[in-house]
């Protein structure tokens, strides 16, 4: 994938604008509940500071009303945390879209919640032009929001004099490209979760690319029902049986296969103290629901993943939050970790499973993307990535007029 990287750019003395993803969880008192995303952005920020750039950082936080930021929408807690991590004060700049604030080479400021700017959500080119007047280098280090067509993610990348990917963005695109564009074969994709309807486009896209499509959770139930197996009161979508069969046909067209469990853990109700049975997939009773895969399925899944060259993992194969139904996802996590394949994992439930079963240091790449990760799996072009690719083309110029204005702020 062709895009300019931060490491390719001369940053000394330049005004560098970094778009990060600091959409962090906050406690009821307004303090940070978790600083993982802020820590993840430090390498890019430090690289710019060490190169002698004047560094301006912004992010969205929540869903504020444009033009009407409230104290609850403020990045103030982020500025305090970032200052602690960097060991220096990080001033928070409000009303920044027309410049007028000072930042010297080697210093850093945080620009208030970009979603408070009128035109941010609409990807307004005029807003991008106003911001571009005080930017020398634009850096996108926010893969988690790369699927959003918003001003500081897309239009500004096209308007700034130079646009590049930060280290987080570069790592995501490298890992996803390795997993999907040029994978070591066999390529196995694990797609699990509650509903086919929420991941149908992902399933359709992957069915044309992968050698093995591993199906779990409610998604597997729908495929099992489409094959004629009884699923009792399990979560499944009978109206998508034809879609499930179409996915299997698309796999078969290039000799790909769908993996489905051969035995399951069924229960009479969705509860930690439910009555459970381990049984083959053709023996689920009408009053039972499938909540995990059985031991034979765990073994066959581990054997399959051991032979893989590349593994893409999104979703648990059982209700791992409840102890009686956690063994399947625990076995899946262990199998992915033990495989010699290049492995990439993403999605909120997947990250929770990785954390619970302690395999993070044995997964080759864990995506921070969430929605962006899923849209990449769907085969969609992410707007922020499209902008970076466009700017990397020979002869690329910033898009749209960049008007002149008086008293353009410069690093001092």
């Amino acid at each position: 994938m062709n895009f300019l990287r931060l490491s390719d750019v001369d940053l000394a003395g330049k005004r560098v604008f970094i778009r990060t993803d600091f959409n962090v969880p906050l406690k009821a008192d307004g303090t940070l509940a978790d600083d993982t995303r802020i820590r993840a952005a430090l390498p890019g920020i430090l690289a710019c500071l060490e190169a002698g750039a004047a560094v301006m950082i912004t992010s969205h936080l929540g869903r504020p009303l444009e033009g009407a930021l409230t104290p609850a929408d403020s990045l103030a807690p982020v500025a305090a945390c970032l200052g602690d991590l960097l060991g220096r004060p990080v001033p928070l700049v409000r009303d920044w879209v027309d410049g007028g604030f000072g930042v010297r080479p080697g210093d850093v400021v945080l620009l208030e919640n970009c979603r408070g700017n009128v035109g941010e959500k609409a990807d307004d080119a005029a807003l991008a032009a106003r911001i571009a007047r005080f930017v020398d280098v634009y850096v996108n280090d926010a893969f988690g929001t790369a699927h959003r067509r918003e001003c500081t993610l897309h239009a500004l990348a096209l308007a700034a004099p130079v646009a590049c990917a930060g280290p987080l963005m570069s790592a995501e695109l490298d890992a996803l490209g390795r997993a999907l564009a040029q994978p070591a074969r066999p390529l196995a994709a694990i797609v699990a979760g509650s509903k086919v309807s929420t991941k149908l486009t992902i399933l359709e896209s992957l069915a044309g690319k992968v050698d093995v499509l591993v199906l779990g959770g409610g998604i597997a139930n729908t495929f099992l029902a489409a094959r004629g197996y009884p699923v009792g009161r399990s979560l499944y979508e009978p109206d998508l049986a034809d879609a499930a069969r179409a996915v299997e046909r698309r796999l078969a067209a290039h000799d790909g296969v769908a993996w489905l469990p051969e035995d399951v853990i069924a229960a009479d109700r969705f509860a930690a103290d439910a009555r459970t049975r381990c049984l083959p997939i053709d023996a689920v009773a009408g009053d039972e629901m499938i909540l995990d895969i059985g031991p034979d399925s765990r073994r066959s899944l581990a054997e399959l993943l051991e032979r893989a060259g590349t593994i893409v993992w999104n979703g648990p194969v059982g209700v791992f939050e409840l102890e009686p139904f956690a063994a399947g996802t625990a076995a899946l996590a262990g199998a992915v970790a033990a495989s010699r394949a290049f492995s990439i994992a993403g999605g909120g439930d997947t990250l929770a499973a990785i954390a619970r079963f302690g395999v993070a240091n044995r997964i080759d790449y864990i995506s921070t993307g969430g929605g962006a990760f899923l849209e990449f799996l769907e085969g969609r072009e992410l707007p922020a990535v499209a902008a970076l690719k466009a700017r990397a083309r020979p002869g690329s110029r910033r898009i749209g007029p960049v008007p002149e204005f008086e008293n353009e702020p410069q690093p001092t």
Side-chain angles (χ1 to χ4, degrees):
M1 190 178 296
N2 187 26
F3 56 91
L4 190 65
R5 300 167 188 265
L6 180 65
S7 56
D8 299 327
V9 181
D10 178 10
L11 302 172
K14 301 293 176 58
R15 299 164 296 178
V16 176
F17 183 105
I18 307 176
R19 176 53 157 97
T20 58
D21 181 8
F22 289 163
N23 188 31
V24 293
L26 300 176
K27 299 177 183 177
D29 63 1
T31 58
L32 261 67
D34 182 80
D35 65 357
T36 301
R37 290 182 176 179
I38 300 173
R39 290 179 179 274
L42 290 178
I45 297 168
L46 289 171
C48 294
L49 290 172
E50 290 165 4
V55 180
M56 304 166 283
I57 308 168
T58 196
S59 172
H60 76 285
L61 178 64
R63 299 179 178 178
L65 181 66
E66 289 188 359
L69 281 181
T70 69
D73 303 318
S74 177
L75 290 175
V78 174
C81 176
L82 185 58
D84 290 342
L85 293 172
L86 292 174
R88 62 166 74 188
V90 177
L92 181 64
V93 180
R94 297 173 174 82
D95 303 321
W96 51 267
V97 296
D98 287 315
F101 56 89
V103 54
R104 295 199 287 234
D107 285 345
V108 56
V109 297
L110 183 63
L111 309 179
E112 187 57 282
N113 194 333
C114 58
R115 280 194 181 164
N117 299 329
V118 176
E120 172 67 17
K121 292 285 287 181
D123 195 31
D124 183 50
L127 174 61
R130 290 166 66 188
I131 299 170
R133 291 180 295 187
F134 58 88
V135 173
D136 296 317
V137 177
Y138 167 87
V139 182
N140 191 326
D141 216 15
F143 179 79
T145 56
H147 57 310
R148 306 291 187 191
R149 186 179 290 272
E150 298 177 1
C151 180
T152 56
L153 297 164
H154 181 259
L156 183 56
L158 298 176
V162 174
C164 63
L168 265 180
M169 174 71 82
S170 298
E172 290 274 359
L173 296 179
D174 288 343
L176 287 165
R178 178 176 174 182
L180 293 176
Q182 298 176 319
R185 300 282 180 174
L187 168 58
I190 303 153
V191 182
S194 59
K195 293 183 178 182
V196 170
S197 56
T198 60
K199 295 184 178 178
L200 181 57
T201 52
I202 296 172
L203 293 167
E204 291 171 338
S205 176
L206 290 176
K209 302 173 183 175
V210 304
D211 302 297
V212 181
L213 186 58
V214 175
L215 302 160
I219 290 173
N221 297 339
T222 298
F223 277 77
L224 288 169
R227 288 187 180 186
Y229 290 106
V231 295
R233 295 191 297 112
S234 305
L235 175 64
Y236 81 110
E237 296 172 283
D239 56 328
L240 289 178
D242 286 343
R245 287 188 280 265
V247 167
E248 293 213 53
R249 287 194 298 272
R250 189 169 189 195
L251 277 164
H254 63 90
D255 296 324
V257 296
W259 180 94
L260 286 165
E262 56 208 87
D263 63 341
V264 296
I265 305 299
D268 59 343
R269 56 197 175 90
F270 188 90
D273 60 350
R275 175 179 56 83
T276 64
R277 290 201 303 158
C278 177
L279 63 166
I281 55 171
D282 60 357
V284 178
D287 63 347
E288 291 180 311
M289 56 184 71
I290 301 169
L291 297 176
D292 197 8
I293 62 174
D296 290 343
S297 300
R298 294 169 214 156
R299 282 189 290 272
S300 72
L301 182 54
E303 290 169 2
L304 182 154
L305 295 178
E306 185 180 16
R307 298 190 297 269
T310 304
I311 299 171
V312 178
W313 176 20
N314 175 248
V317 292
V319 187
F320 72 94
E321 298 87 350
L322 300 179
E323 193 58 37
F325 316 113
T329 302
L332 169 61
V336 174
S339 175
R340 289 172 292 180
F342 174 75
S343 56
I344 180 169
D349 289 342
T350 311
L351 301 190
I354 288 170
R356 174 170 177 184
F357 300 117
V359 297
N361 63 346
R362 293 189 289 153
I363 306 294
D364 289 299
Y365 193 82
I366 299 174
S367 175
T368 61
F373 177 79
L374 294 178
E375 291 201 13
F376 198 103
L377 294 187
E378 289 179 30
R380 298 190 194 183
E381 179 147 70
L382 308 181
V385 177
L388 292 176
K389 288 167 63 178
R391 294 305 308 279
R393 293 180 192 132
S396 155
R397 297 189 305 168
R398 56 187 178 190
I399 308 301
V402 181
E404 298 295 330
F405 73 114
E406 295 181 359
N407 301 319
E408 179 170 356
Q410 301 283 344
T412 57

